[in-house]
Amino acid sequence: MRYKITIEYDGTNYKGWQSQDGLPTVQGAIESAVFAFCQEKTEVYGSGRTDAGVHALGMTAHMDIQKETDTETIKMALNAHLREEAIVILSVEKTADEFHARFDAKQRYYLYRILNRATPPALDVDRVWWVPQKLDIEKMRAGAKHLIGQHDFSSFRAAECQAQSPIRTVDEITFEKQGNEIWMRCQARSFLHHQIRNFIGSLVEVGRGKEEPIWIKEILEKKDRTTAGPTAPACGLYFEKVEY
Amino acid sequence: MRYKITIEYDGTNYKGWQSQDGLPTVQGAIESAVFAFCQEKTEVYGSGRTDAGVHALGMTAHMDIQKETDTETIKMALNAHLREEAIVILSVEKTADEFHARFDAKQRYYLYRILNRATPPALDVDRVWWVPQKLDIEKMRAGAKHLIGQHDFSSFRAAECQAQSPIRTVDEITFEKQGNEIWMRCQARSFLHHQIRNFIGSLVEVGRGKEEPIWIKEILEKKDRTTAGPTAPACGLYFEKVEY
């Protein structure tokens, strides 16, 4: 029987989603919990692979479990086995046998939180990127407009990116003020490695007045990672949800 | 010279605001930072004394510093010395010599965050009180109405409370949905020890249907702590701001 699970996690103390021998990962922790529950060695396929330090509000994954059971029992049992982890299974649903959390995803949603004030966070350490310079949200919006649509995103792609093509379609980028924070949301069917953190790194250069919004268009057209801004820290990024 | 400071802190690893010999406290940490900055043993008077585990978004305090300096230098220096602490000085202002952070407070504002969903938090551990039973926010509002105004709050006062009188005037209580959370805000000139956590403890009994809203009026009139609900956990409570 195939199940779709939705997961919240604090990525701070994990080496990312993907299992790596001997290292703490989100996938590895959930697979261990599944084994503790039903003594089955199951692969938990995530809809995306978040980097070390990136959080999730609603990561989805699928897995196959042979044991006769029900969704509520799986949820309670996995959460009991995950008690010492910073991972919570929000929901478990039965799905079709051919459902694939990664390949069937139609739209992925990410959130990036910037704390924009003179002083660092006391409460939201590891939850936001602290940018002390005053950011102009209108300029960031204007810069982000150039990223919407289908483009070759080589300038915003990590050197280690394993995707075959640098072409992606970004459907929406929004900016919202939340008290002292700026929340950027970005949605696309799929993303290149570090794409959103690289967007944010360059958009912050625009927001703090070092570059003009048109600079985003210029670096996009250069298709050269070295022309763009730095990669923003992982701790501000949240995998928000997936649409199937 | 007297200064008013505004402070954000994560209360999780402190034994509360007030200095206690050999224990980590917010007041103690700030006084150590002041001493490291100017070698003066200064008492930092808070506008309130938060319990162990209670957070602050905008606690205020006053202190006297003899050293010739300016507010920006004090802020930067204290934050540098507080780097290893979960405490940040948000602002430093010069005030009149007779200003008193505690006695001059006209209104204190607290926020209480309840995570109301079936599964525990992965990201907001120590930041919210997790209540898995579905809460009826309208019933909580109706119950809270009985707490508004001047009353003898003996039923909502900790046994250790040192206030001379159990009479206080609660000016406003509001409830707001924030995604899966319920945010309760409460304002008054001053509060008794545990007053807000005791309000929440009883209002959650109403919200989950164990008691009716009128029960809040009944226990208030009994002036007996043992008739009310339990004390809600410290981790959901935030000292939000003070008006002078």
Side-chain angles (χ1 to χ4, degrees):
Chain A
M1 182 65 73
R2 183 157 289 191
Y3 298 92
K4 174 189 163 197
I5 61 175
T6 306
I7 311 140
E8 177 180 296
Y9 54 84
D10 171 356
T12 310
N13 296 318
Y14 295 96
K15 302 292 174 192
W17 167 267
Q18 199 177 7
S19 285
Q20 297 172 66
D21 267 346
L23 293 177
T25 66
V26 180
Q27 186 187 12
I30 300 172
E31 288 174 356
S32 296
V34 172
F35 187 79
F37 164 56
C38 60
Q39 289 74 54
E40 295 176 33
K41 290 216 165 181
T42 308
E43 184 158 348
V44 175
Y45 292 87
S47 57
R49 294 173 186 175
T50 53
D51 291 319
V54 173
H55 315 295
L57 298 166
M59 169 64 85
T60 54
H62 77 264
M63 60 185 187
D64 295 327
I65 291 182
Q66 313 305 324
K67 180 187 169 99
E68 291 262 332
T69 181
D70 61 274
T71 55
E72 196 59 22
T73 302
I74 297 174
K75 187 176 86 172
M76 306 259 287
L78 294 190
N79 282 332
H81 290 296
L82 289 166
R83 218 174 6 225
E84 304 295 311
E85 304 282 346
I87 302 168
V88 169
I89 309 299
L90 298 176
S91 68
V92 178
E93 299 160 66
K94 285 188 180 177
T95 65
D97 284 350
E98 53 280 6
F99 171 78
H100 198 291
R102 183 168 162 210
F103 300 130
D104 292 351
K106 290 220 167 50
Q107 198 78 340
R108 290 174 169 85
Y109 295 77
Y110 278 89
L111 165 69
Y112 198 98
R113 289 174 57 186
I114 296 170
L115 178 65
N116 188 33
R117 69 178 191 193
T119 47
L123 275 157
D124 285 323
V125 179
D126 293 328
R127 294 285 183 278
V128 296
W129 180 23
W130 172 48
V131 177
Q133 302 93 342
K134 182 103 191 81
L135 296 176
D136 182 331
I137 193 170
E138 286 310 326
K139 286 197 169 180
M140 294 173 81
R141 278 196 186 110
K145 282 211 179 91
H146 302 295
L147 301 169
I148 301 298
Q150 184 178 289
H151 299 284
D152 178 331
F153 286 104
S154 293
S155 296
F156 298 98
R157 175 189 197 178
E160 325 76 281
C161 182
Q162 289 170 13
Q164 294 194 339
S165 162
I167 294 172
R168 289 291 182 277
T169 302
V170 173
D171 294 297
E172 197 166 315
I173 300 178
T174 61
F175 290 88
E176 186 189 340
K177 275 260 191 193
Q178 285 271 359
N180 282 322
E181 292 186 28
I182 292 173
W183 286 23
M184 182 256 218
R185 284 192 163 90
C186 189
Q187 62 180 87
R189 179 168 192 147
S190 68
F191 290 96
L192 301 166
H193 194 191
H194 283 181
Q195 189 175 350
I196 296 171
R197 290 167 57 190
N198 289 341
F199 281 179
I200 286 281
S202 290
L203 289 167
V204 161
E205 301 290 77
V206 172
R208 67 193 184 92
K210 202 194 151 205
E211 303 285 351
E212 287 304 310
I214 194 71
W215 177 69
I216 298 292
K217 186 173 196 285
E218 291 162 9
I219 55 181
L220 182 67
E221 285 169 356
K222 283 186 184 137
K223 297 172 194 153
D224 175 359
R225 176 74 195 112
T226 64
T227 63
T231 304
C235 62
L237 187 60
Y238 296 73
F239 190 105
E240 203 166 19
K241 61 176 176 176
V242 186
E243 265 173 27
Y244 291 98
Chain B
M1 182 64 72
R2 182 157 292 190
Y3 298 91
K4 174 187 162 198
I5 61 176
T6 307
I7 311 141
E8 178 180 293
Y9 53 85
D10 171 356
T12 309
N13 296 318
Y14 296 96
K15 302 291 175 194
W17 167 268
Q18 198 178 9
S19 286
Q20 297 171 67
D21 267 346
L23 294 176
T25 65
V26 180
Q27 185 187 14
I30 300 173
E31 288 173 356
S32 296
V34 173
F35 186 79
F37 165 56
C38 60
Q39 290 74 53
E40 296 176 33
K41 290 217 167 183
T42 307
E43 184 158 349
V44 175
Y45 291 87
S47 57
R49 294 174 186 174
T50 53
D51 291 321
V54 174
H55 315 296
L57 299 166
M59 170 64 85
T60 54
H62 78 264
M63 60 185 187
D64 295 326
I65 290 183
Q66 312 305 325
K67 181 186 170 97
E68 291 263 333
T69 182
D70 60 274
T71 55
E72 197 59 23
T73 301
I74 297 174
K75 186 175 84 170
M76 308 259 286
L78 295 190
N79 282 332
H81 289 297
L82 289 166
R83 216 171 11 224
E84 303 295 310
E85 305 282 345
I87 302 168
V88 169
I89 309 298
L90 299 176
S91 69
V92 178
E93 298 160 66
K94 285 188 181 179
T95 64
D97 283 350
E98 53 279 7
F99 171 77
H100 197 290
R102 183 168 163 211
F103 300 130
D104 292 350
K106 289 219 165 50
Q107 199 76 340
R108 291 174 169 85
Y109 295 77
Y110 279 88
L111 164 69
Y112 198 97
R113 289 173 59 185
I114 296 170
L115 178 65
N116 189 33
R117 68 178 191 193
T119 48
L123 276 157
D124 284 323
V125 179
D126 293 329
R127 296 284 184 275
V128 296
W129 179 24
W130 172 47
V131 178
Q133 302 94 342
K134 182 102 192 81
L135 296 177
D136 182 332
I137 194 171
E138 286 310 325
K139 285 197 170 180
M140 294 173 81
R141 278 195 185 111
K145 282 212 178 92
H146 301 297
L147 300 169
I148 302 298
Q150 182 177 292
H151 300 284
D152 178 330
F153 285 105
S154 293
S155 296
F156 298 98
R157 175 188 195 178
E160 328 74 283
C161 181
Q162 288 169 15
Q164 294 195 337
S165 161
I167 294 171
R168 288 291 182 278
T169 301
V170 173
D171 293 298
E172 198 164 315
I173 301 178
T174 62
F175 289 87
E176 187 187 342
K177 275 260 193 195
Q178 285 272 359
N180 283 321
E181 293 187 26
I182 292 173
W183 287 21
M184 181 257 218
R185 284 193 161 91
C186 190
Q187 63 178 86
R189 180 167 191 150
S190 68
F191 291 95
L192 301 166
H193 194 192
H194 283 182
Q195 188 175 352
I196 296 171
R197 291 167 59 190
N198 290 341
F199 280 179
I200 286 282
S202 290
L203 289 166
V204 161
E205 300 292 76
V206 172
R208 67 193 183 92
K210 204 196 150 205
E211 304 285 351
E212 287 304 310
I214 194 71
W215 177 68
I216 298 292
K217 186 175 198 284
E218 291 162 9
I219 54 181
L220 183 67
E221 285 170 355
K222 282 185 184 136
K223 296 170 194 156
D224 175 1
R225 176 74 196 112
T226 64
T227 64
T231 304
C235 62
L237 187 60
Y238 296 74
F239 190 105
E240 204 165 20
K241 62 176 176 175
V242 187
E243 266 173 28
Y244 290 99

